[in-house]
Each structure stands twice: as structure tokens, then as C-alpha cells.
Amino acid sequence: MSMVKNMTNIYPYGTWPSPLDVSTLTTKKRNVSYVTRLMDATMWLEALPEDDGMSSLVIHHDNDASAHRALPDLPGATPSFIGTKVHEYGGKAYDVHERTVIFSSALTGQVYLYHLGSDEPIYALTPPDPTRRYADFFLTDHAAYAVCEEHHDGQVDNYLVQMTWNNNLFAHDNGATPSYATIDVLFHHSDFVTSPQLSPCGKFLAFISWDHPAMPWTHSRLHVINLSSRPRELHTVVDSRNVSVAQPLWAPDGTLLHIDDSTGWANIYRTEGFLHPHPTDNPHLAWHHRLRTRSLHPCNDDYMPNLWALGGQSMAIFDSDHIVATWQEKGRRAIGLLRIDNGQCEVWPLEWEPEYSIAAKDGTCVLIAHSNTSAPCVIKISSGRVEVLASSSDVVIDPESISEPQLITWPVTSGGDTGISEDVSHGFFYLPQLAGVSAGADEKPPLLVHVHGGPTSTEIRQRFIDYQWWTTRGFAVLVVNYRGSTGFGRAYQDALNGNWGVSDVADCEAGVRYLVDKGLVDPARVAIRGGSAGGYTTLRALSVSDVFSAGCSLYGVADLRSLAAQTHKFESQYLQGLIGSSDDGDDVWDERSPANTVENIKAPLLLLQGQDDAIVPPNQATMMQEALQRHGITVELRLFSGEGHGFVHDDTIAEAFMAELEFYLSVWNII
């Protein structure tokens, strides 16, 4: 019998016969988010490909083999999709109390109530009203607290509201006039509110607020309302200059936990004294004079959830003595238990990295997590055992074809007055990988530099399938967490203030030179790509740097002054801090706008844009296309109808990925 040696097939980089087609990004992929834990079940939102990006609430009982949809249709056979457009970015739009669910309909905008497993219909708590949006619910027996966003006369107002109801609410099922919930405004003294959380005794309501021109990660406040007093008393627990605060959470003993970055790192704090006076206090003092706040677990790690969308959770009550928490340390995510009384930390040694969606009950934890070899999954941890309840992808990749990311750090030039002592940037690097395939010995792989959005955001390794789609075709990928990204301390985040379009570009350029100097990539075939703010960095980099020979901007910013005049309330004053000027007549607005410097762009550009984008309007892409065409620069624009800020429809996602692949192959003459 003859022996056949393993053969390696030689293909040029970029032409490798990847086993991943566009279906891995569409029909075989779903989005899982916002987990909740009940006594005997786990719930989460799941967006299936056939639902065009709409999210359904699913439930997985502990004794079941799989999950199923938790909600019946709305009246009129309307699907009970869950979603909200508060802040335009939306976020968590449901809550569960015992066996009752409250949610905002993605289709009608109304708020509904449903008793799980009952024969009762879904009840409408609010009437049809296109001017009002609701999100970030906290549900109790006969009331709910929520964020309400009202659009009227060209203005947008954000309130903290209380919804209450009684049995008359359900009378309309017998043909009577609908009886909706009563809605009372509890707080309306700020531009934004979020995160209502009711204390176990039902007496105190904690929440977060902030005002323009701040963003929630630059300066926000933690308040507590005494609901039992008349008039209701409001006390501000945290309000310090340039301090961000997030995620109030009540412990079973009535103490209040929160996260803030007052030390330069987003750590957890504990405030006690709401119910019981401190031994040294006068028991007759007002309740807010008895409060004592201390750091729970001081460290140089970041526990702050991503504040772009409502409802992100990085900690949850695990049992009467512990919280389960997630944090970022040096670019990686970790998870463990912290004692509520003294902050003692027990790190869980898992192969999974958590995302900012976690819940727990009675010693069982559920969360969204990913690994080096797995797309995001819903996992359950109980008694040290890890169980995967659902995966965001049906794709199975040969382990020998998986490119595992390398966490790398590289030196950068100052690129502006960053205010940080150490000029470095962070990222993940993926080498091309496909079992049984390689390129010629003298060939270096083309490099795609991925720039995350925000820009005050961060990139973790959850885009498993997206990156493998490129690496199995013979592309290297560098994911850049440039200065300004979250999770590396407040100083690193603030380094982008006044330097957007400077520091981020410098970090991307330095990352490329770092890889080129190590002989890992082809310096002649380097593309930069990104969406939203990442699209802006892409356009800006092409106009000021010569290291990129191609670029792809997905719904990116081309003209800063135009965007500031057109964008939504949440970000309407965000650019001022990023650019470093509140004067729209300042020349910096023109100097940093890629649409005004197109004469410096030499590399071909692909623009991908949704026609219904309310955050970065489509005229940002069209003005860039027209300007480049006037200067004879190769540019291609694809506008997608029915798409907003981020693509959700299968055909759009497939066309966008294939257009980008074909664009690079054409630009670099890869055959």
C-alpha cells in the first residue's frame, strides 16, 4: 500500500478557496443579545436572518433541549419583534419580572405586557404614538420604570417615567374602550436619562443622567429618588467633573453598587446607608446624609459597559453575598465573582470572553461570550459547569483553518496633544489561515486595517466569522483599538479629545508600519476600512497618509460641519469635544473634513451607505463621491434602500461583502 504525503496547495493571497461563502454572514448567522435569567430559564433577544434583523424574545427552560419564541403575535397577527430607537442606537427594550414581560415593539413603538405561558393575549400599555419611544425598562408587580424619548415640534425630550396600571387595563378585551397605563414623569431636568433601578424595598429609584455637551462616558451623574417621600426627594450620589458613572445595581441588603472612572479606571463602588444609619450617624438625620460610598475592588481594569446602547450589563447579583462581573484588562475580557461586603475577587478561568450582556439569579450566571474559535454564544454557568445554550452562527470551521488573533501593542507618535504618558496603541492581528493552502514563499499577504466605530468604543474579538471570512481567503487583518478607545483607562479614552482625525489615523498608520517592519504583510497592498466613525478615520487616513493603497468606508463621515447640523440629539454636540472646537466657524471643521481634502486622496475608494441612515445621512457619501469624481479619483458608491446605520438585510450584507472583496481584488490586480 502506497503512502500519500499531505500536499500543500499554492494559491496567491486573496484567492484562497475559502469554505466560507456569503451565507456564513447571512443565512447561517444570527444576532444574540440582552440575556435575562429567571428561576428555571434563560431569555435573550435573537435576530434571525429570515426576520430581516428584527429581534424576537426567546426562552430556554433548563430542562429543554432548545429555545423557542417566548411571545405570541401582537393583536392583528403582527409579529412581536422587540426594539427601540431611543438615542437612535436603541438598546435593551424589554424586562422580565417573575413570569411577566414588558417590551417595546420594534414595529409599532408601543409598550406591551405579557404573562409568560398564559392563555392571555398581549396587552398594550401605551397607545399608538409615533412621537414617543420607550426603552430601558425596570418591571415590578404593578409598575414599570423606563426611559421615554418624545419627538415634537423639531425637538427631542428625554424623561424618566413611571408606568402604573390596574385590572382596568385589560377591559378592552371585552370590547370596552382600551385602558392604557398611567404614565408619570419622575425626572425631566437633564438632556438624557438611563438605567432606572428600583431598590429591593421599593423605596428608592436609582438612575443616570447627563447633559450636553457631555457624552455619558465623559461626564454623567448618579441620582436616587426617594419614592416614598412627598414631594419626592432627589439626591445626587455621584456628580464630579469629568467623571463618568454607569450601571446602578441594588444589592439584596439594600446597598447601591455603581461603576465610575473617578480614579482613571472604571471600577465598582458601593454606597450604603439607605435603610440603616451608620453607627456613628445621628439616626434622625435625613436619609441622604447617612450615605457612605467606597471603592469595592480598586484596580487598573475597566468594568464600564459600552454606553452607546441602552441596557448593557457588566455585573449582576449572583447570590446574597456576591456579584458576578466582567471587566477588560489589557485588551482582553475577564469574568469572576466579587464579594459585596469586601470586594474580594475570584477570577473564573474560562476560555470564553464575556461581552457586556450578563445576568444571574440564585448562583446561576448567563451571558453572551465568545472565544478564539467561536462566534458569540449564549452560555450558562452553574456550579462551575459551562453550557452553551445558543450560538450566533451555524458555521463550523476546521480548527486548522481558524486564524486566532494575536493581541499586539505598538509604539505611536503623539499625533496631537493626547495627555497620556505612554504613546502606544493596541489591537488584534489575524494572519491568513486555511488548512492545506499557502502562498508563494516570497509573497506577503495583503492587509485589511479594520477601524471600529464610535469613535469612543472598542473592538473585541466577537467578529469571529467576519474576520475568518477574510483570513481564509488569504488576507491578514489588523483590528485597531486606537487612542480614544474604551477599556484601556480614562486617559487613553480622553487622548482622542481634540485629536479625532489625527491620533486615530496616526495609530492605524503606525500599526501598519509595525507589521511591515516585522515582514508580516505586503506594504504595497494595505487597505483601511471601517463603519461610521471608522468610516471617517478611513476617509481621513486616505487624505493624509500614503501607507494605504485602498479604502472602504461604510456609512462614514465626510463633512463634519454638515454632520453636526444634521445628526440626531444624542450625538449633536459630540463632535465639539472630538474636534476640540465648539465654534462651527473654526477652520478645524474644514481641515478635518475628508470632503474638503479629496485632492490629497490617491487611493481608490469604495463607499457603502444605507439610504435610510438617520445617524450619518446618505448625503455624506454622495458628497464624497462627487468630490472624488471631480478630481478624477477612482470611487464607487453603493446605496442600499431600506438600510439604516448598519446593514441588517441578508441581500445587503451579501452584496456589501462581495463588493468589498471584488474591489480589493481589482485594485491590487489579484487574479
Side-chain angles (χ1 to χ4, degrees):
M1 183 174 65
S2 63
M3 299 288 292
V4 179
K5 295 183 178 180
N6 290 331
M7 301 284 294
T8 298
N9 297 304
I10 304 299
Y11 291 89
Y13 285 117
T15 67
W16 290 4
S18 171
L20 307 180
D21 58 23
V22 290
S23 70
T24 66
L25 309 168
T26 54
T27 59
K28 294 181 180 179
K29 188 177 179 182
R30 64 188 63 85
N31 183 54
V32 292
S33 62
Y34 297 115
V35 294
T36 297
R37 179 63 187 173
L38 306 181
M39 287 291 295
D40 59 352
T42 301
M43 304 180 76
W44 64 88
L45 293 183
E46 185 167 298
L48 299 175
E50 58 265 29
D51 293 331
D52 283 335
M54 296 286 189
S55 293
S56 296
L57 184 65
V58 299
I59 185 168
H60 183 283
H61 290 94
D62 290 347
N63 296 325
D64 288 351
S66 60
H68 59 87
R69 296 198 183 201
L71 303 175
D73 285 346
L74 301 177
T78 302
S80 53
F81 296 134
I82 294 178
T84 179
K85 291 186 178 180
V86 172
H87 297 174
E88 300 300 335
Y89 290 103
K92 189 177 182 183
Y94 82 97
D95 192 32
V96 184
H97 175 66
E98 295 180 349
R99 310 299 293 183
T100 302
V101 179
I102 188 172
F103 67 95
S104 173
S105 167
L107 298 178
T108 72
Q110 291 175 261
V111 178
Y112 294 88
L113 200 70
Y114 178 67
H115 302 302
L116 289 170
S118 73
D119 295 329
E120 299 175 0
I122 291 180
Y123 301 109
L125 292 179
T126 61
D129 185 352
T131 69
R132 294 195 177 190
R133 306 169 178 178
Y134 297 91
D136 220 359
F137 299 100
F138 187 96
L139 180 63
T140 68
D141 287 332
H142 298 290
Y145 303 91
V147 173
C148 174
E149 183 176 274
E150 184 178 3
H151 295 245
H152 61 95
D153 302 323
Q155 301 295 317
V156 179
D157 295 319
N158 294 77
Y159 314 124
L160 182 67
V161 300
Q162 180 186 48
M163 299 178 174
T164 55
W165 56 87
N166 54 40
N167 290 336
N168 292 331
L169 170 72
F170 312 126
H172 61 279
D173 291 309
N174 296 320
T177 301
S179 176
Y180 299 112
T182 299
I183 298 178
D184 296 312
V185 176
L186 297 180
F187 183 83
H188 61 88
H189 305 293
S190 64
D191 290 325
F192 300 95
V193 292
T194 186
S195 308
Q197 292 287 304
L198 188 67
S199 64
C201 67
K203 183 177 179 180
F204 301 102
L205 184 73
F207 65 98
I208 304 295
S209 77
W210 70 95
D211 291 307
H212 281 143
M215 297 299 285
W217 50 80
T218 61
H219 176 213
S220 46
R221 301 175 291 266
L222 171 61
H223 307 284
V224 174
I225 297 176
N226 185 348
L227 297 175
S228 64
S229 63
R230 292 294 180 271
R232 295 187 178 105
E233 296 175 284
L234 174 73
H235 177 67
T236 302
V237 180
V238 179
D239 181 11
S240 298
R241 186 173 180 269
N242 295 329
V243 170
S244 170
V245 60
Q247 203 178 151
L249 179 67
W250 293 96
D253 64 358
T255 60
L256 178 62
L257 303 169
H258 77 270
I259 301 170
D260 75 46
D261 56 10
S262 53
T263 66
W265 294 91
N267 284 183
I268 302 175
Y269 293 80
R270 179 177 187 260
T271 301
E272 56 188 341
F274 287 95
L275 296 179
H276 307 290
H278 190 274
T280 61
D281 282 342
N282 181 341
H284 300 292
L285 286 175
W287 63 274
H288 50 82
H289 291 299
R290 303 196 304 258
L291 303 183
R292 298 289 186 272
T293 300
R294 62 180 173 85
S295 178
L296 186 65
H297 180 72
C299 59
N300 289 350
D301 298 325
D302 198 320
Y303 289 78
M304 189 80 77
N306 191 315
L307 298 172
W308 281 95
L310 298 166
Q313 290 291 119
S314 61
M315 60 180 179
I317 301 299
F318 186 73
D319 57 30
S320 60
D321 297 320
H322 300 87
I323 59 172
V324 58
T326 66
W327 61 91
Q328 183 167 316
E329 52 182 18
K330 299 179 180 178
R332 299 187 185 277
R333 295 278 172 83
I335 183 172
L337 293 182
L338 278 76
R339 284 193 62 88
I340 296 173
D341 57 359
N342 62 16
Q344 182 181 0
C345 181
E346 173 194 333
V347 180
W348 287 351
L350 303 178
E351 66 178 41
W352 298 92
E353 289 196 28
E355 301 179 19
Y356 285 137
S357 180
I358 188 169
K361 196 173 187 67
D362 296 334
T364 294
C365 171
V366 293
L367 66 153
I368 309 294
H370 60 272
S371 73
N372 279 351
T373 58
S374 174
C377 294
V378 180
I379 67 172
K380 182 176 74 171
I381 305 173
S382 183
S383 301
R385 177 173 175 265
V386 178
E387 179 183 357
V388 177
L389 303 184
S391 174
S392 62
S393 177
D394 295 332
V395 177
V396 177
I397 303 177
D398 179 352
E400 294 186 5
S401 295
I402 293 176
S403 176
E404 296 196 20
Q406 306 170 36
L407 179 62
I408 62 173
T409 299
W410 59 91
V412 295
T413 58
S414 62
D417 183 15
T418 63
I420 57 176
S421 58
E422 186 179 16
D423 285 326
V424 297
S425 191
H426 305 272
F428 297 102
F429 179 57
Y430 296 76
L431 280 165
Q433 182 74 22
L434 182 61
V437 174
S438 68
D442 297 330
E443 187 182 3
K444 302 294 183 185
L447 175 67
L448 307 183
V449 179
H450 176 78
V451 190
H452 67 69
T456 314
S457 185
T458 192
E459 190 72 34
I460 56 178
R461 295 178 292 177
Q462 84 275 37
R463 296 175 185 258
F464 174 75
I465 298 298
D466 294 27
Y467 297 145
Q468 305 301 320
W469 197 83
W470 293 107
T471 56
T472 55
R473 284 170 166 75
F475 293 88
V477 177
L478 173 64
V479 182
V480 182
N481 278 320
Y482 49 81
R483 287 166 293 175
S485 303
T486 54
F488 301 91
R490 182 62 186 265
Y492 192 85
Q493 173 190 306
D494 288 349
L496 198 63
N497 292 344
N499 296 308
W500 194 33
V502 180
S503 297
D504 49 329
V505 172
D507 289 11
C508 293
E509 184 176 17
V512 174
R513 297 190 187 281
Y514 176 82
L515 296 176
V516 169
D517 289 346
K518 288 185 171 296
L520 297 174
V521 298
D522 183 354
R525 297 185 295 180
V526 179
I528 184 168
R529 68 180 306 278
S532 191
Y536 167 77
T537 300
T538 294
L539 299 175
R540 175 75 175 154
L542 293 179
S543 67
V544 299
S545 174
D546 60 359
V547 305
F548 304 103
S549 55
C552 177
S553 169
L554 296 90
Y555 32 90
V557 179
D559 185 273
L560 297 172
R561 186 179 285 110
S562 173
L563 179 68
Q566 292 180 298
T567 197
H568 57 128
K569 177 186 176 183
F570 180 68
E571 293 184 86
S572 61
Q573 297 186 37
Y574 183 32
L575 297 185
Q576 297 177 6
L578 293 173
I579 299 302
S581 174
S582 58
D583 178 8
D584 61 4
D586 194 318
D587 289 344
V588 70
W589 290 83
D590 291 324
E591 293 168 358
R592 300 270 184 91
S593 294
N596 296 325
T597 56
V598 293
E599 68 277 4
N600 297 328
I601 297 178
K602 309 302 180 186
L605 175 65
L606 174 64
L607 300 164
L608 304 173
Q609 175 71 44
Q611 289 186 336
D612 299 336
D613 195 334
I615 295 172
V616 178
N619 65 347
Q620 291 281 313
T622 56
M623 73 171 67
M624 195 71 194
Q625 177 198 32
E626 293 167 358
L628 286 168
Q629 287 176 336
R630 287 195 298 269
H631 286 80
I633 306 300
T634 300
V635 59
E636 179 183 352
L637 169 63
R638 298 205 183 190
L639 288 170
F640 300 100
S641 63
E643 295 287 0
H645 199 67
F647 304 146
V648 297
H649 301 297
D650 283 357
D651 54 351
T652 300
I653 295 170
E655 183 179 342
F657 267 88
M658 290 306 300
E660 190 174 356
L661 172 62
E662 293 166 0
F663 173 72
Y664 298 139
L665 297 180
S666 174
V667 167
W668 293 326
N669 294 316
I670 297 175
I671 301 174

